[in-house]
Amino acid sequence: MAEWTEHWDDESGTSSFAARLAACPAVAHATIALHGDLGAGKTTFTRHLLRALGVRGRIKSPTYAIVEPHEAMDCPLMPAGEVLAIWHFDFYRFDDPREWEDAGFRELFSSAGLKLVEWPEKASSLINGIDLDVYIEPDDTRLDADVDPEGESSRHVTAKARTLAGRRLVMALQNA
Ligand code: ADP
Ligand code: MG
């Protein structure tokens, strides 16, 4: 399956990656799994993607709620007057599979719209239909001696497609 790797020198790389995905129509109904340790930049990337899709206002991290819903008004990918629904999940604190049904996550994952999933590993047997896996890792060069902590902002990023929609997203990254 298609795959794309790049470096983000700093957050402007994160934002450019998000903008390229946001320009691809396949993102509107995709499920994107975000892999990486605490502080890797999963939420930061999500904020850039949501902004690029037209989400306004505060974008809270869903760590405590597990899911935060958003609506992108005036999303360039949607027909005029239609809103793009976005579900931002963070399963870091998810430990009771019964909550999956009770909280209605099954319905959310099968509904229309974009789903972004932090810590998919914590609910991997329950999440269906991941189109794209994105792996974000701090760059190894940051381990070099004498690195200024301000410079510890580069990331190594890999996107791997699982489905046709995922391939379209990878192609959008390759061709932009
Ligand atoms: P996660 O959701 O993966 O736990 P966050 O996005 O909450 O991580 O935190 C990432 C932190 O790293 C933020 O403080 C962000 O400003 C900082 N950061 C520095 N450089 C980058 C980068 N290139 N991409 C994303 N975040 C970065
Ligand atoms: Mg996060």
Side-chain angles (χ1 to χ4, degrees), residues 110-129:
S110 57
S111 66
L114 167 64
K115 296 100 195 171
L116 289 148
V117 190
E118 298 187 43
W119 296 100
E121 302 77 8
K122 306 242 175 179
S124 59
S125 62
L126 299 164
I127 300 170
N128 284 315

Side-chain angles (χ1 to χ4, degrees), residues 8-15 35-48 61 63 88 90 118-119 136 150 152-155:
W8 297 341
D9 287 338
D10 51 32
E11 235 184 277
S12 68
T14 314
S15 142
H35 306 268
D37 286 342
L38 278 177
K42 304 178 293 297
T43 302
T44 302
F45 158 72
T46 299
R47 289 196 174 108
H48 284 290
S61 174
T63 307
H88 178 194
D90 182 339
E118 298 187 43
W119 296 100
I136 308 174
E150 298 277 300
E152 291 187 18
S153 59
S154 68
R155 302 286 189 272

Side-chain angles (χ1 to χ4, degrees), residues 50-120:
L50 268 51
R51 289 276 180 250
L53 288 168
V55 173
R56 305 210 184 97
R58 195 159 111 80
I59 300 175
K60 273 198 292 182
S61 174
T63 307
Y64 292 94
I66 298 190
V67 65
E68 284 292 334
H70 298 277
E71 288 189 334
M73 317 282 178
D74 309 319
C75 174
L77 297 175
M78 300 299 281
E82 282 186 36
V83 161
L84 173 65
I86 302 171
W87 310 98
H88 178 194
F89 295 90
D90 182 339
F91 287 107
Y92 189 67
R93 281 164 207 283
F94 179 78
D95 48 21
D96 182 357
R98 281 172 303 179
E99 203 185 341
W100 185 265
E101 297 297 335
D102 297 348
F105 294 153
R106 182 203 296 277
E107 286 74 21
L108 294 189
F109 272 92
S110 57
S111 66
L114 167 64
K115 296 100 195 171
L116 289 148
V117 190
E118 298 187 43
W119 296 100

